Amino acid sequence: MKNSSFLIDLTKCTGCRSCQVACKQWNELQSEDTANTGTYQNPGLLSDKTWTLIKFNEIEKQDSVHWFFTKVGCMHCEQPACASVCPVGAFTKTETGAVVYNGKVCIGCRYCMIACPFRIPTYEWKKAFPLVKKCTFCFDRQSESQVPACARACPTGAISFNTREEMIKKAKGLISKYPDRYNPHIYGEKEVGGTAVLLLAPITADFSELGFPKLSERPLPTWTWNALRFVPAQIVVVSAAMGFFYWLTKRKTKKKDASKEVRNDK
Amino acid sequence: MTNHWNDLKNADCILVMGSNPATNHPVAFKWIQKAIDSGATLICVDPRFTQTAAKAHIYAPLRSGTDIAFLGGMIKYILDNNLYFEEYVRDYTNASFLVNPDFKLPGDNEGVFSGLTAAKTAEGFVSGKYDRATWSFQMNPDGTAQRDPSMQDPNCVFQLMKKHFSRYTVDTVVSITGTPKDKLLEVYAAYAATGKPDKAGTELYAMGWTQHTVGVQNVRAMAIIQVLLGNMGIAGGGLNALRGESNVQGACDQGLLFHILPGYLQAPAASLATLEAYNEKNTPKTNEPLSANWRANNPRYMASLLRSLYDQSLPLEDAYNLLPKIDDGADYSWLTIFDEMYKGAFSGFFAWGQNPACSGANVHKVRQALTKLKWMVNVNLFPNETGDFWMGPGMKPEEIDTEVFMLPCAASMEKEGSITNSGRWMQWRYKAVDPPGEAKPDGDIITELYHEVRRLYEKEGGAFADPILKLTWNYGKHFDPHAVAKDINGYFLEDREIEGVLYKKGTLVPAFRFLQADGSTSSGSWIYCASYTEAGNMAARRGTDDPTGLGLFPNWSWCWPVNRRIIYNRASVDKNGTPWDPKKPLLQWNADTKLWAGDIPDGPWPPLALEGGKLPFIMKPDGIASIFGPGLADGPFPEHYEPLECPVEKNLLSPQMVNPAVKRWEKDGVPELDMRASCDPRFPLVCSTYRVTEHWQTGVMTRWTPWLMELQPDMFVEMSRELAELKGIKNGEWVSVKSARGAVDAVAIVTMRIKPFTIAGTTVHQVGIPWHYGWRYPDPQRKELRSANLLTPSIGDPNTMIPESKAFMVDVVKKEVSR
């Protein structure tokens, strides 16, 4: 499908976390060693092993308690900041709507992590050859005409999947049909020039209190492009060189560690 | 469920009380969401603000164990405001029946119904038994009950109900339950609005109602509300038990419980020495000409069951003698089994697909009971706390002689067969992969066991060998689910001509109305007759057509009885067969064809007002729903009693504290391991147990799954911010939760979702704990105290003996635990 999109209807999310597990299952992501920290939310944050997460927000307003469940993950921006800052072009906004990452060219500068307005990309800090990790929009499933794993697993219909135009149409239809249920703001329709992930919130909630940043409608790359396009290519070369040295050092340490292990075995 | 999952979409109002479907039945929420999309109101009544509460239009908290007070108040509200469905109540219930004038209500009789024999103690009557002689109707000479259709006679059921629940005033209810008055009234108004003929209200309950010393009466109270509002038998209505295991409905249908045989036939008592005596005692009779009294067919079903179980050449009488019998009045329920085991009554024990060392109430006693065994066979997917009890916390392996055998079995996706879901749908499932290693399907294990036991009996003889030697077991070495499913359906054992059609010997019986009392048919469970016929395996059907638009999907799988998707559906129409709700007609009588359209009707008879018409509640001897229910152990009306352990010194409704009919386990006043502490300053907090989405039962399957452990890694206790402040506990800190029976360690979740209750003017705090954890894993070396049931009391409902795990008293203290 071209220009595909999620509509995540938070009024229908029950916090069952089927999506969170389905994501790990399809993408073969390892579990994290977690502890209960006084909340149902676990793991606490997105990581290289957790690409989508249900956040549990308890909010008290005028003596009534609310428990909001929000799904976070890559928003697959129409004009992604991560792609615009990446010096080696590791990120691509594809025709399908997915922002995909090519680890083979990544130099580990992590500009993408800083540039992302939603703080989504994560890094494999513990690996020798670390890569950036984030939701792939199940690009592989989509290429086989399969719905992304999280949308497939959702039992209540909170995650719908179709073209962005259809999803916006559906969101607007829901808002006009159920004005007492929905916050009229479709998050992601206009934020940073639009995202492929669109969200609807209950009328009782404001997106900012659910942890979604207030952002301007101007695509982020348009702020940076005027400056960045003049960045000399040497920077790329320098970064690549730094990356090479980093790799060398890491390799040495690893060899040392390995020889230590051998000694211990003896 | 009287209805089924998909039918939830037809409701105008959904009351969730005693369950938490958003958490525990996530897929059900698909249908609840559809109802909401169509304008339905979702109500959640729960001590905690749960995931279901988060989605509800109205949330009302109540103190655990006070549901009857809450529902009794609703009954009073419905009656006081004339919100009941009068025609339905008058014609389809026993509201107009006249009750024995000697019958006394608790309000006039020290808090108990007439007929109680019990010891009187400081806390009221204890360990009582009711003589139900006065719980009866005044009879006409023709043997039918006397009625007052105006429902004005002071002795009629309607007036007695009104009098009984007149004590449940809003203020009294609020004082008992702690529910804010405005919320209580909001719930009453929203739910009572479904009393209009074209409105449907459904109720979803689970263990939140059954695990109480008044468990059955909780459900009874709602049954009364549902018939008052005309919500039984209609699309979007019903009283719906959400089952906690995929196939627990099927297991009950096939006779899992000790007191019933497959198809809910009564298990025979020892005093019923002959089949004739059994049939005489267990076949309901009626003099009501309009009652179908379907249960009058019981002798046909019993004969067919005996034919399916035993050598078919035996006379039926002899086959009956092979059935195990229950000593009259004996109780072989869970609590009794482990009490007897603790006293050394058993030498061996099969723990099959269960984990009693975590799942039973008061598991310290259960674990001690296991030490008294000579041997145990643990059949499970994984090693668990039960099989490995001897190396658990506090155990001295060198002092335990129990020999434990572990038999690994296949998981559901590693074998073929059927499951029957909460909505009574029998759904066929196929094998996806082979079981790993030596693991075998349960059926194969039983088959092997049968052949070996039989071989030993043949070789060595023994006391009463016939039940094994004459058992029919034509399944060869490997369990064949199709052969078993056909046996459950049943066969013609000789050529029979019925209604002009010849059914040949050896063919499958098409439906239970063809089953015979003379031994010429077999059926392993009569309610499943029609599930596997000459037309094929009905449970394997996957037709997605829905001609009524009500989500009945008549060609998807198969539903007992006879593919009827909503039971008591004759109550969805008036006396002439016209649906109460013309927008959602579940059934409709066609006067021209003289046939019903819609769901499979509850019997073929025409509507009540026509020649040959029958009353709608066909499984009841008198054909109507029982508002006055004289069959239970603890009263014909529900009455509020406090849990065995409660935070109040007085029952605000009567001098009787605890259900007088519950069985106490103390022997001569000595509790041994059955300690309790009510209104004890050492244990000031109400506690309830429950589940999380990510774990299942005692976690034997889910704790082994890292993706699920990641989401809910450890035992926790949820408490209010107010209680945490009082105790100096911070969110995320380790605490110890203690009851009179034991202690567990847990992480404190301090939350605004739990609020203190004001009960009779004082503040009462409630906490809650999940019951999925144990010591066996993730790390058996740590021998952690994590099982919620270390805290729960050994006390059960007098009708079902289901333990009271939903309301007991604890304390919470700070603790240093390193992990």
Side-chain angles (χ1 to χ4, degrees), chain B residues 9 87 127 134 205 213 231 269 271 403 420 483 507 518 747 766:
Chain B
K9 72 167 185 163
E87 197 177 344
S127 289
T134 60
Y205 73 92
T213 43
N231 280 333
S271 60
E403 186 174 11
T420 302
T507 57
D518 60 5
V747 175
Q766 174 149 4

Side-chain angles (χ1 to χ4, degrees), chain B residues 10-21:
Chain B
N10 296 316
D12 295 296
C13 189
I14 299 171
L15 174 61
V16 173
M17 186 170 172
S19 69
N20 178 11

Side-chain angles (χ1 to χ4, degrees), chain B residues 368-514:
Chain B
Q368 289 302 318
L370 297 174
T371 67
K372 312 284 175 79
L373 293 167
K374 287 196 177 61
W375 56 267
M376 182 207 301
V377 180
N378 190 31
V379 189
N380 219 305
L381 301 184
F382 297 103
N384 60 5
E385 283 80 359
T386 300
D388 292 342
F389 76 95
W390 50 273
M391 54 171 172
M395 290 287 175
K396 292 185 181 140
E398 63 277 14
E399 290 173 12
I400 297 167
D401 291 332
T402 316
E403 186 174 11
V404 182
F405 304 89
M406 171 81 194
L407 299 183
C409 60
S412 60
M413 64 294 275
E414 294 160 357
K415 60 191 176 189
E416 188 178 358
S418 76
I419 67 112
T420 302
N421 73 7
S422 303
R424 296 167 286 106
W425 292 15
M426 178 192 185
Q427 310 198 74
W428 202 260
R429 292 177 169 186
Y430 300 90
K431 176 175 158 178
V433 289
D434 286 326
E438 290 178 76
K440 290 179 182 177
D442 299 294
D444 278 14
I445 298 174
I446 295 204
T447 297
E448 205 173 317
L449 189 64
Y450 163 76
H451 286 301
E452 183 58 18
V453 170
R454 187 187 171 95
R455 192 187 64 80
L456 287 170
Y457 267 117
E458 276 171 348
K459 194 174 138 206
E460 298 171 12
F464 203 29
D466 277 358
I468 293 294
L469 297 179
K470 296 203 184 307
L471 189 70
T472 306
W473 201 272
N474 302 322
Y475 307 129
K477 216 170 143 45
H478 289 287
F479 179 83
D480 173 2
H482 292 275
V484 175
K486 287 176 187 174
D487 277 344
I488 288 172
N489 178 85
Y491 291 97
F492 286 101
L493 305 177
E494 48 196 73
D495 291 0
R496 276 303 279 249
E497 192 180 310
I498 302 167
E499 296 163 17
V501 180
L502 180 69
Y503 295 92
K504 300 287 280 181
K505 176 181 175 178
T507 57
L508 291 157
V509 180
F512 53 63
R513 67 192 168 91
F514 298 96

Side-chain angles (χ1 to χ4, degrees), chain B residues 199-342:
Chain B
K199 292 286 175 207
T202 185
E203 205 291 331
L204 310 183
Y205 73 92
M207 300 302 167
W209 269 0
T210 56
Q211 291 179 350
H212 290 281
T213 43
V214 291
V216 171
Q217 297 287 5
N218 282 334
V219 184
R220 272 277 298 146
M222 193 67 211
I224 291 175
I225 290 172
Q226 288 298 65
V227 295
L228 282 177
L229 299 174
N231 280 333
M232 293 307 287
I234 65 171
L239 190 44
N240 294 307
L242 312 185
R243 302 300 208 151
E245 300 195 29
S246 60
N247 198 21
V248 76
Q249 180 68 51
C252 292
D253 297 343
Q254 304 304 340
L256 176 84
L257 301 170
F258 78 91
H259 63 298
I260 45 181
L261 296 172
Y264 301 95
L265 296 170
Q266 203 64 36
S271 60
L272 302 172
T274 64
L275 178 60
E276 197 188 344
Y278 170 88
N279 282 335
E280 175 64 23
K281 168 95 169 106
N282 292 305
T283 308
K285 291 163 201 68
T286 184
N287 291 309
E288 172 53 62
L290 294 175
S291 171
N293 188 25
W294 195 265
R295 284 277 187 187
N297 293 306
N298 278 0
R300 296 161 173 253
Y301 307 147
M302 185 64 177
S304 300
L305 173 65
L306 291 171
R307 277 290 176 255
S308 108
L309 286 176
Y310 301 114
D311 183 348
Q312 289 161 355
S313 66
L314 288 174
L316 283 174
E317 273 302 335
D318 294 355
Y320 174 78
N321 288 335
L322 302 181
L323 267 185
K325 311 286 190 298
I326 292 180
D327 285 342
D328 289 38
D331 153 40
Y332 304 136
S333 66
W334 185 271
L335 289 172
T336 310
I337 288 173
F338 285 96
D339 192 58
E340 290 293 323
M341 191 186 290
Y342 179 69

Side-chain angles (χ1 to χ4, degrees), chain B residues 24-80:
Chain B
N24 301 321
H25 301 86
V27 183
F29 232 80
K30 175 178 181 170
W31 305 104
I32 295 174
Q33 186 63 50
K34 278 188 196 292
I36 293 172
D37 287 348
S38 306
T41 305
L42 176 65
I43 304 171
C44 176
V45 182
D46 198 294
R48 288 180 304 151
F49 188 94
T50 61
Q51 281 160 277
T52 305
K55 299 286 128 181
H57 300 97
I58 307 170
Y59 165 68
L62 91 167
R63 169 170 65 98
S64 278
T66 63
D67 301 75
I68 291 175
F70 192 106
L71 298 173
M74 193 187 304
I75 294 172
K76 177 173 159 54
Y77 179 91
I78 292 166
L79 297 174
D80 287 353

Side-chain angles (χ1 to χ4, degrees), chain A residues 13 24 32 60 178 181, chain B residues 37 55 707 710 721 755:
Chain A
C13 177
K24 295 221 160 186
E32 300 193 37
E60 194 157 26
Y178 303 108
R181 190 200 289 180
Chain B
D37 287 348
K55 299 286 128 181
W707 286 328
E710 169 193 278
R721 292 176 296 192
K755 303 273 186 216

Side-chain angles (χ1 to χ4, degrees), chain B residues 574-593:
Chain B
D574 67 12
K575 284 203 248 185
N576 297 308
T578 309
W580 301 120
D581 180 359
K583 299 189 303 300
K584 294 176 201 155
L586 180 60
L587 276 189
Q588 194 146 22
W589 177 254
N590 184 324
D592 300 329
T593 59

